[in-house]
Amino acid sequence: MTNYTGIQGQNILIVSSDPSDPTEGQIWYNSTSNLLKGYANIVTNAWASGGALNTAVRQNAGTGTQTAALSFGGALTAIIGQTELYNGTSWTTNPTGLNTARVNPRGTGTQTAALGFGGYNPPAAQTATELWNGSTWTSNPTGLNTAKSSVGGSGTQTATLAFGGSNPGGVLSQTESWNGSSWTSLPQTMNTARTSLGAAGTQTSALAFGGETGALTTATESWNGSSWTTVNSMSLARSALGDAGTQTAALGFAGYKGGPPPVNSGATELWKGTSWTTNPNSMSTIRHNFGSAGTQTAALGFGGNAGNPGTTATEEWTGAALAVRTITTS
């Protein structure tokens, strides 16, 4: 007969309502619903190869969704304004590109109504702002108030927030707001000035994470429409990373984690509104300075510097957000 004497487990917490801020893997018994519950994903999040870009590129921008994405700008042997559209399976090169070719611009909005702003075309950072209608880019008469590259951005074609970035004057903490026709410099600045940062959310509910201050940072900040608040940091300091999602459900992935020589990361982290969780699954093509799009549960990463001048590699992230799950024994 098997002897189980001395085997001990952990006590399961008994509560009358589900915890407001559970941690991944936590289990409890809800005495009100008489259910055993836990906080976890119901599927294994994973990266898979998608359709390759038509042109290998790095320092490109992206926006849209996993099945309707937009890639524009960047460089290979020269700075380009090329625009490509993704339908969930393959990329199509648009006949016309940006009016101002540049590297490291920022994109917000959708595949059919996007905003492209900032970036760099030697010898200067750019103020240029362009609107995309699904087939062509139109230069806006007024650009950003401060020329900047590698800026964070969140929102739509008619309501976007731009924050951080850099220009020859240094790393920036500035915040600008776009109303569909012009930019307004806001008095509220970021707590941590940084460039090449990750961003998610909307104009009034944004998240900024990672980037470079002069050194790589894990700093994360939340924007409520009127001020920035420093919140829990990322696990891995990195810059030029991919980003997707919202202020309460964001995804940060890959990026530059040090050097010289440059060392890239494929690491994936999920933000659940209060803290970051590292997922064991990394991107297959480890890269930095690439385009990204989508949500926390359906993201896309494409192009970038992967230890060569540029790549066509596209990867799709599929998963489920962390949530409260009922645990059954049958």
Side-chain angles (χ1 to χ4, degrees):
M1 175 182 286
T2 303
N3 185 355
Y4 294 102
T5 304
I7 294 177
Q8 267 187 312
Q10 290 184 323
N11 291 328
I12 294 176
L13 186 67
I14 299 174
V15 294
S16 58
S17 60
D18 296 334
S20 60
D21 186 25
T23 58
E24 186 175 10
Q26 183 177 346
I27 296 175
W28 64 91
Y29 180 79
N30 187 312
S31 59
T32 301
S33 61
N34 294 320
L35 293 173
L36 183 65
K37 294 186 175 185
Y39 190 71
N41 287 320
I42 57 172
V43 298
T44 300
N45 294 326
W47 289 99
S49 296
L53 286 160
N54 293 290
T55 300
V57 69
R58 67 184 188 277
Q59 296 171 281
N60 54 316
T63 193
T65 67
Q66 188 188 74
T67 56
L70 191 69
S71 173
F72 57 94
L76 186 53
T77 56
I79 294 175
I80 60 175
Q82 182 166 305
T83 300
E84 296 195 35
L85 297 88
Y86 193 63
N87 63 5
T89 304
S90 60
W91 290 94
T92 300
T93 302
N94 196 68
T96 57
L98 288 164
N99 294 289
T100 302
R102 51 195 130 154
V103 295
N104 293 327
R106 184 71 196 196
T108 56
T110 68
Q111 189 190 62
T112 56
L115 189 71
F117 51 95
Y120 182 79
N121 191 330
Q126 300 290 311
T127 62
T129 299
E130 300 188 38
L131 292 88
W132 169 259
N133 64 4
S135 60
T136 59
W137 290 98
T138 300
S139 296
N140 197 67
T142 57
L144 288 158
N145 292 288
T146 300
K148 61 195 79 173
S149 178
S150 303
V151 61
S154 59
T156 66
Q157 188 188 64
T158 57
T160 280
L161 194 72
F163 40 94
S166 61
N167 59 28
V171 177
L172 305 172
S173 62
Q174 296 168 336
T175 305
E176 295 193 38
S177 180
W178 168 259
N179 64 5
S181 60
S182 62
W183 292 96
T184 299
S185 294
L186 303 180
Q188 300 87 358
T189 58
M190 302 185 77
N191 296 297
T192 301
R194 64 186 93 175
T195 187
S196 300
L197 64 158
T202 68
Q203 186 188 63
T204 57
S205 180
L207 193 72
F209 45 95
E212 189 168 347
T213 63
L216 297 175
T217 182
T218 59
T220 302
E221 296 185 46
S222 179
W223 169 260
N224 64 4
S226 59
S227 62
W228 289 100
T229 301
T230 300
V231 292
N232 287 319
S233 297
M234 300 188 82
S235 300
L236 177 66
R238 52 184 137 163
S239 67
L241 66 162
D243 50 38
T246 67
Q247 187 193 63
T248 56
L251 194 71
F253 48 99
Y256 171 75
K257 67 175 184 178
V263 178
N264 293 336
S265 169
T268 304
E269 295 189 46
L270 293 86
W271 171 260
K272 67 184 183 76
T274 55
S275 61
W276 290 96
T277 299
T278 301
N279 189 273
N281 296 302
S282 296
M283 295 191 84
S284 297
T285 301
I286 298 173
R287 66 187 88 184
H288 73 280
N289 267 333
F290 60 100
S292 55
T295 66
Q296 188 187 68
T297 59
L300 196 70
F302 40 93
N305 188 320
N308 50 44
T311 181
T312 61
T314 299
E315 292 187 49
E316 300 175 348
W317 168 262
T318 303
L322 291 165
V324 174
R325 317 291 184 187
T326 297
I327 299 172
T328 61
T329 57
S330 58

